[in-house]
Amino acid sequence: MNPYSTQLIEEEDIKAVIKALESSNLTQGKLTQDFENNLCEYLGVKHALVFNSATSALYAAYKAANIEKNNHAITSPITFAATANMMLECGALPVFCDIKRDGNINEKLISSLITPQTKAIVSVDYAGNSVEVKSIQDICEKNRLIFISDSSHSIGAKYQNKKIGTLADITIFSFHAIKPITTGEGGALVTNNTDFYEQAKLIRSHGVVKKELWNTDVIKSGFNFRMTEFQAALGISQLKKLESFLQIREEIAQFYDKAFKGNPYFFTLHQDMPHTTTNHLYPIILAPEFWCSKEDIFKALLQDELGIQVHYKPVYEFSLYKKLLGEMELPNARDFYRAEISIPCHQKMDLEMAKQSAEKILKVFENIKTCL
Ligand SMILES: *Cc1c(COP(=O)(O)O)cnc(C)c1O
């Protein structure tokens, strides 16, 4: 099975992890700090905190931004559940804003959703392609909202030549196994705001501050959301290779763009992306006459050993959210879910594998019935 995304672990990654396992500290040591410093340097951001997942980093971000009971945060329904789930954990509610053709939040619809309860805009860089940062910054400034970016897909991506991570008030990255770089499980929170950084750091580790000698104080309620030293070792090693991973993904994506150009079955998002993407996903968007056959297409692709997936079922369609928010439907998010399939695109592939995938995919569509 060729998965839609996967990790590439090489000799030097394994050596780095073994070395960390043989060291005296398995947690709370120097490697975690080194990884954070390397992230700051690579991204050009003031503060970085690594976490045991992006989910816990999102939680810490919302808490640091004081998102609380009775607050609302405007976000995209085309995301992984964690973006919205962590709002619920803070006692706040997500307000879902419809998307554009590229899967990202439609910045033009945001203002109409703002109420006195709105505290933040939480955008998602779908597939690794930046949202329209400038528009969102302007809306946040005008309405005194906090801009949080769930950039779980987009470490290494750029918006107008500026790296993702420097643009929102707080940016979250994921190092889950199949994200652009990995620590197995893991995530990071980055910010230029020292207050957000200090608050998130307390939440990461029990709200504890050191006083002198054995004396500590707890000044906030917190968790253990820490990353281990051997995960940080893997992160340091992976971060060195991020640019080369992104280059391979971009080559595969460009190959697909050409191979699929002008086909009658689906269009692809990559060639029209306005910003430098990571290609965490390579989405194909089925023509409407194929929507009713999506199950058959999906099964046939799996049969051909293509580990495809659909990103994402709109979060408001989950039963939990229906209970909390009532039935709702956003037309573009609905149609995107009906049309989207993510096909294999990752750093373990070469152009020969991309060629085989493209041929298999086109062949599957040749044998599928249309329904209009
Ligand atoms: C993967 C992902 C997350 C969660 O990341 P974890 O590291 O698995 O907790 C959150 N948001 C988005 C958009 C993601 O893709």
Side-chain angles (χ1 to χ4, degrees), residues 264-265 286-293 338 368-372:
Y265 316 117
L286 309 191
E289 60 266 35
F290 289 97
W291 293 356
C292 68
S293 304
R338 287 176 177 163
I368 294 286
K369 284 196 201 68
T370 60
C371 23
L372 290 184

Side-chain angles (χ1 to χ4, degrees), residues 192-219:
N192 282 323
N193 180 312
T194 302
D195 185 47
F196 289 154
Y197 165 75
E198 296 291 351
Q199 292 303 313
K201 196 172 178 180
L202 286 170
I203 293 155
R204 181 175 68 170
S205 199
H206 311 289
V208 164
V209 288
K210 281 211 166 93
K211 299 191 88 174
E212 61 284 314
L213 298 175
W214 62 84
N215 191 11
T216 59
D217 195 11
V218 173
I219 60 171

Side-chain angles (χ1 to χ4, degrees), residues 53-55 58 79-80 82-83 124 150 152-153 174 176 179 186 312:
S53 73
T55 303
L58 277 167
T79 185
F80 183 62
T83 317
V124 179
D150 181 345
S152 291
H153 299 183
S174 174
H176 176 273
K179 298 289 161 75
Y312 291 95

